[in-house]
Amino acid sequence: MADTLSIIKALVAYAVSAQLITEEDRTFCINALLDIAHAVPSEDKVDIPEMELPWILGSLVEDAVKRGVIEDDTESRDIFDTRLMAALTPFPHEVRDRFREKYAVSPQAATEWYYSFSKATNYIRTDRIKKDRKWIYEGKYGALDITINLAKPEKDPKAIAKARKTLSTNYPACQLCMENEGYAGRIGHPARGNHRLIPLELNGEDWFLQYSPYSYYSEHCIAFNSRHIPMKVDRAAFRKLLDFVTLFPHYFIGSNADLPIVGGSILSHDHFQGGRYEFAMARAEVEEELNFEGYEDVRAGIVAWPMSVIRLRGKEADRLTDLADNILKAWRAYSDPSVFVFAETDGEPHNTITPIARRRGSDYELDLVLRNNITTEEHPLGLFHPHAKLHHIKKENIGLIEVMGLAVLPSRLKNELEEVKKTLVSGEEPKSSIALHAEWMNKLREKYSFTEDNADQIIQNEVGAVFERVLEDAGVFKRTPEGKEAFLRFTASVRA
């Protein structure tokens, strides 16, 4: 294996070629990295040909483990390689100046540069994202994106044990806080030394732009409030979403709902998710036009989608904001016992909205997805949530990304579906490790004759069909004549 100095020189050469540093910085950065690695240069130097970043960082991590510089667990490894990249990442003011220069050319030029930069610093770990399993399911509602998420590292038992002995701290308060920029990391909180933020102003408030390190789709970005305050869907939120697509008309942006079960994973910090991607919901057409009195200039309608979506489109962001606010207020207070929609029970509110904004040429478009988080004895995780018979594939909350038509499925399915395939092809009985899939597998056996050649495609299609039913479960007004009538009763209740 090459000596530590030679590998560090290869890393610095990468940083120069990626324009993270200049040629004048080369010696300074080599010495900084030697210090981080606690390495003494060897006299036997080896010239390393140009290698990809994952190999370089992986080699330095293995070297650090071997020499006892770091412990051999996933989080210690990530903290170490992030510290190496942090030494090569420009200061925040330099990144922001460059972004502004690019934005003066065009918003698209700015985001393309920032996305490439975030990959170059290894903040977005492209080598891990490549491990995700992805395919398209062509169903009743168009092409749904199916993903088994493998980019997000699993909890390491060694790290869990170590965390118990680590002094607890609430700094940063969460993984979205602005204090993550440059944070060295600790066991239980990821290192962000190579993380850089872009300031934004949305509805007169200070926000920041960053990319998701797990990048579920193209240019998957996050906009978040500079203050650590809870998620809230209200008039101001609609205005912020529309302000964002004014700044970045080539991106969509959306907000998770602000109630448990129907909300996202981080309700404690106000944030949105967006990016440069067109989901199946955005391609879905309006199937029933709506008219809201006083808003004749805003085109409105119900979208042909498994969940309950009202689409607004118009020239003026203020008008869409006003109408969206009226719809939200009406929905917050709305009950219809005939379809088990209750605004609240025992003082607990149930109704909210998942909003998504985008541009259509010079028009603004705002999708309002009606959500309700009521639970029942039969469905303790939520009535408008994946039902128990689908939990073998998807049990987790249906957040913004899933609402739009992208399934983010748990990593356990990688191995489980491989075992399902082997069992279906062999004709054997399911082992205990895939017992949760047994009922589903029996139904598949009744439908298909499995071979090595067709099993993968059949299983992928059937997983897609399960996700389609998940979305239907999450829909408040079902796609039946009764559901449509109930939906129209609600829209008729909206007043200016």
Side-chain angles (χ1 to χ4, degrees):
M1 180 178 173
D3 65 288
T4 308
L5 176 59
S6 297
I7 305 172
I8 283 175
K9 285 184 174 180
L11 179 57
V12 171
Y14 162 83
V16 172
S17 67
Q19 298 183 333
L20 298 177
I21 62 173
T22 69
E23 184 63 42
E24 294 174 283
D25 303 320
R26 188 183 291 266
T27 300
F28 177 91
C29 289
I30 289 171
N31 288 327
L33 293 173
L34 283 169
D35 181 56
I36 293 168
H38 297 283
V40 177
S42 166
E43 292 185 5
D44 299 322
K45 301 177 182 61
V46 178
D47 288 329
I48 298 176
E50 185 175 332
M51 301 296 290
E52 293 187 354
L53 183 60
W55 181 90
I56 298 171
L57 290 175
S59 298
L60 289 170
V61 167
E62 292 299 333
D63 174 65
V65 169
K66 184 178 179 181
R67 292 187 293 109
V69 174
I70 62 171
E71 295 186 42
D72 188 12
D73 63 73
T74 302
E75 291 193 55
S76 295
R77 286 167 170 262
D78 283 359
I79 288 170
F80 179 73
D81 73 12
T82 301
R83 191 178 175 198
L84 294 174
M85 290 308 301
L88 303 169
T89 302
F91 278 101
H93 76 272
E94 298 175 86
V95 176
R96 294 168 188 182
D97 285 348
R98 188 70 184 275
F99 185 88
R100 292 183 189 108
E101 289 175 9
K102 295 290 185 179
Y103 191 89
V105 176
S106 73
Q108 185 172 321
T111 55
E112 285 178 352
W113 173 81
Y114 183 41
Y115 189 60
S116 296
F117 170 82
S118 299
K119 290 188 289 185
T121 62
N122 207 44
Y123 167 70
I124 298 175
R125 295 175 180 262
T126 54
D127 58 318
R128 290 183 181 172
I129 292 166
K130 288 176 184 176
K131 296 176 183 177
D132 286 348
R133 297 282 182 88
K134 299 182 179 182
W135 66 91
I136 300 294
Y137 169 70
E138 294 286 352
K140 292 185 287 185
Y141 308 103
L144 302 181
D145 297 286
I146 312 297
T147 300
I148 297 177
N149 173 34
L150 302 172
K152 202 169 185 176
E154 299 284 336
K155 290 291 183 182
D156 189 317
K158 295 179 183 178
I160 293 171
K162 190 190 298 184
R164 295 194 187 103
K165 303 175 184 178
T166 304
L167 184 66
S168 63
T169 176
N170 62 352
Y171 180 90
C174 77
Q175 292 186 27
L176 286 178
C177 285
M178 60 182 288
E179 288 81 9
N180 282 282
E181 186 177 42
Y183 183 64
R186 63 179 186 273
I187 301 302
H189 193 107
R192 293 290 183 253
N194 55 348
H195 183 32
R196 298 294 180 264
L197 303 172
I198 302 299
L200 302 175
E201 183 179 302
L202 301 179
N203 195 35
E205 294 183 7
D206 292 332
W207 281 57
F208 288 97
L209 175 68
Q210 67 173 59
Y211 286 104
S212 167
Y214 309 115
S215 202
Y216 292 137
Y217 50 84
S218 177
E219 297 183 41
H220 179 182
C221 70
I222 299 171
F224 65 93
N225 201 310
S226 62
R227 296 176 295 154
H228 181 74
I229 58 175
M231 296 278 294
K232 187 176 183 182
V233 176
D234 58 8
R235 177 190 176 85
F238 299 140
R239 183 70 241 193
K240 290 167 192 168
L241 293 172
L242 295 169
D243 278 357
F244 184 93
V245 294
T246 300
L247 291 171
F248 304 104
H250 58 299
Y251 273 11
F252 81 90
I253 192 80
S255 172
N256 267 302
D258 55 357
L259 293 178
I261 297 177
V262 295
S265 58
I266 303 180
L267 293 179
S268 61
H269 197 126
D270 196 15
H271 72 285
F272 306 141
Q273 295 185 76
R276 193 176 178 185
Y277 193 72
E278 186 176 59
F279 291 88
M281 192 179 82
R283 295 190 294 269
E285 300 288 339
V286 168
E287 64 180 357
E288 179 85 20
E289 291 189 3
L290 300 172
N291 294 298
F292 293 101
E293 186 178 351
Y295 293 93
E296 288 75 16
D297 56 322
V298 177
R299 282 165 284 172
I302 295 172
V303 179
W305 191 245
M307 299 184 70
S308 305
V309 186
I310 298 172
R311 177 168 293 164
L312 309 179
R313 180 169 173 173
K315 297 288 184 187
E316 296 182 29
D318 287 342
R319 296 287 287 162
L320 265 66
T321 301
D322 289 344
L323 179 51
D325 187 43
N326 288 339
I327 293 171
L328 174 64
K329 287 175 179 175
W331 179 240
R332 293 274 195 199
Y334 190 77
S335 293
D336 185 344
S338 72
V339 287
F340 215 85
V341 169
F342 295 93
E344 59 87 21
T345 54
D346 299 325
E348 179 186 351
H350 296 305
N351 290 348
T352 186
I353 280 176
T354 299
I356 302 106
R358 64 184 74 88
R359 298 296 294 274
R360 298 292 191 188
S362 60
D363 284 357
Y364 291 91
E365 190 168 88
L366 190 60
D367 284 351
L368 306 175
V369 187
L370 307 182
R371 311 299 302 276
N372 179 289
N373 75 345
I374 197 168
T375 59
T376 66
E377 287 188 14
E378 185 182 359
H379 302 290
L381 297 182
L383 176 61
F384 305 109
H385 177 86
H387 290 180
K389 64 183 179 181
L390 308 177
H391 287 180
H392 66 105
I393 297 294
K394 180 69 174 176
K395 183 179 182 180
E396 299 77 15
N397 291 353
I398 303 305
L400 170 68
I401 294 172
E402 286 92 356
V403 164
M404 295 185 292
L406 190 156
V408 181
L409 302 179
S411 59
R412 62 175 173 82
L413 286 177
K414 175 180 178 290
N415 293 331
E416 289 177 11
L417 293 181
E418 283 295 327
E419 193 63 35
V420 165
K421 174 189 171 182
K422 290 177 185 176
T423 304
L424 290 172
V425 170
S426 68
E428 297 173 357
E429 289 301 307
K431 295 179 181 177
S432 59
S433 58
I434 55 169
L436 76 167
H437 298 291
E439 183 180 346
W440 179 58
M441 292 169 66
N442 288 335
K443 291 179 180 178
L444 297 187
R445 279 176 168 152
E446 293 174 1
K447 289 178 66 177
Y448 306 101
S449 294
F450 285 90
T451 67
E452 282 288 347
D453 293 334
N454 70 10
D456 285 327
Q457 187 62 57
I458 291 172
I459 291 170
Q460 286 186 358
N461 284 341
E462 290 297 330
V463 168
V466 170
F467 178 61
E468 188 173 69
R469 291 196 292 276
V470 161
L471 295 179
E472 290 174 337
D473 282 351
V476 176
F477 298 116
K478 303 307 179 186
R479 293 183 59 76
T480 61
E482 296 78 15
K484 182 177 179 180
E485 287 177 10
F487 202 161
L488 291 174
R489 283 198 299 273
F490 164 67
T491 60
S493 75
V494 177
R495 295 289 180 265

